[in-house]
Amino acid sequence: MLLIPAIDLKDGHCVRLKQGDMELATVFSKDPADMALHWLKAGARRLHLVDLNGAFAGKPKNEDAVKSILQVVQQFALDNGIDQIPVQLGGGIRDLDTIERYLDAGISYVIIGTAAVRNPGFVQDACSAFPGHIIVGLDAKDGKVATDGWSKMSGHEVIDLAKKFETYGVESIIYTDIGRDGMMGGVNIDATVKLAQAVKMPVIASGGVHVIGDVEALCAVQGEGIAAVICGRSIYEGTLDLASAQLRADDLTQAASN
């Protein structure tokens, strides 16, 4: 079970939202690159970036911050003899040119969210053009997918869309329960497992992680196809220590494989 720190970008700063509300943003750092380095030093093996302004505008808005993070990640990997530290990015990605630009800059995986729901053909084209680099983010409440920074409900069923995207060759699915994100009330284990059981590709859990018990609960069901969990407010406010939580997850994974 991989723990992936989230770095949400708003106006060039590292923030966290409550339930996707841009008006409920808490600024945790004015230097996102420095925050990225902090998580790398704490043992992060992958980073999750979200261009929040981009998600609402429908086009990239925090590219400078993204590039500064990538420089820090690449230097850290070089200094520590690590081949690669993957960085995944979502928010405002609506065309193939944007994907290509980000991949060329050093992003490992591009996350398509709203555009995937509105235009599934775009996901198919992206998977064909950039195989192995496309992740779809499905944000849902009560099994229905939300779009436009969670401001609109689509009426689409999460599992139906996930199955469709799997046939296109999506690398993995990030599943966020928007009723829990930023609230630190625990992960929606049942819904996440239900989705993971319905597809063969890896599912990345997101939303609601609060304490080490939430990580342990996910580790207990990772055999269903849950590969990782994105951690946000919990690691910023200190209710979850990233380094010790990753070590605990590693121990549980090792024990399960024996």
Side-chain angles (χ1 to χ4, degrees):
M1 181 66 61
L2 189 64
L3 275 62
I4 310 176
I7 299 177
D8 290 357
L9 302 168
K10 179 177 183 282
D11 304 330
H13 300 154
C14 173
V15 307
R16 292 301 297 169
L17 306 184
K18 284 190 176 181
Q19 294 183 301
D21 191 334
M22 289 286 271
E23 300 302 315
L24 297 178
T26 303
V27 177
F28 282 101
S29 174
K30 293 185 177 180
D31 186 347
D34 187 60
M35 184 58 70
L37 182 60
H38 171 78
W39 296 130
L40 293 173
K41 288 180 176 179
R45 300 168 197 163
R46 186 163 171 169
L47 296 177
H48 175 81
L49 312 184
V50 180
D51 181 347
L52 292 171
N53 301 103
F56 284 87
K59 58 184 178 180
K61 289 291 186 180
N62 284 282
E63 283 193 77
D64 288 344
V66 170
K67 288 177 181 176
S68 68
I69 289 170
L70 288 171
Q71 289 175 349
V72 164
V73 172
Q74 290 158 2
Q75 189 61 52
F76 183 87
L78 187 65
D79 292 344
N80 290 275
I82 302 169
D83 288 339
Q84 184 188 33
I85 300 171
V87 179
Q88 59 195 44
L89 168 70
I93 297 168
R94 304 284 195 272
D95 57 68
L96 296 179
D97 288 343
T98 300
I99 295 175
E100 185 173 30
R101 190 166 72 249
Y102 274 136
L103 293 178
D104 286 346
I107 290 293
S108 305
Y109 304 102
V110 168
I111 304 161
I112 303 175
T114 293
V117 181
R118 287 183 171 171
N119 183 12
F122 171 50
V123 177
Q124 192 169 23
D125 291 344
C127 288
S128 297
F130 311 105
H133 293 282
I134 306 301
I135 293 174
V136 165
L138 294 178
D139 306 325
K141 187 174 183 179
D142 301 324
K144 303 287 186 180
V145 176
T147 62
D148 298 276
W150 304 351
S151 62
K152 299 176 183 176
M153 298 304 295
S154 71
H156 291 288
E157 294 284 345
V158 170
I159 289 176
D160 291 344
L161 280 179
K163 286 181 175 179
K164 177 188 288 187
F165 296 137
E166 184 169 43
T167 66
Y168 295 165
V170 167
E171 196 276 334
S172 57
I173 291 281
I174 295 175
Y175 174 69
T176 304
D177 184 319
I178 64 176
R180 302 195 184 207
D181 188 79
M183 305 305 289
M184 300 198 299
V187 179
N188 189 333
I189 298 285
D190 292 344
T192 308
V193 167
K194 187 177 178 182
L195 174 60
Q197 289 173 335
V199 296
K200 294 183 176 66
M201 60 184 163
V203 170
I204 299 172
S206 175
V209 172
H210 181 212
V211 293
I212 189 69
D214 297 319
V215 175
E216 293 170 339
L218 280 168
C219 287
V221 295
Q222 64 181 320
E224 302 292 348
I226 302 169
V229 58
I230 294 168
C231 302
R233 186 172 287 272
S234 59
I235 58 174
Y236 285 92
E237 295 193 348
T239 62
L240 182 73
D241 180 77
L242 180 69
S244 60
Q246 183 62 73
L247 289 173
R248 176 61 175 153
D250 291 344
D251 288 343
L252 290 171
T253 300
Q254 182 65 35
S257 64
N258 291 335

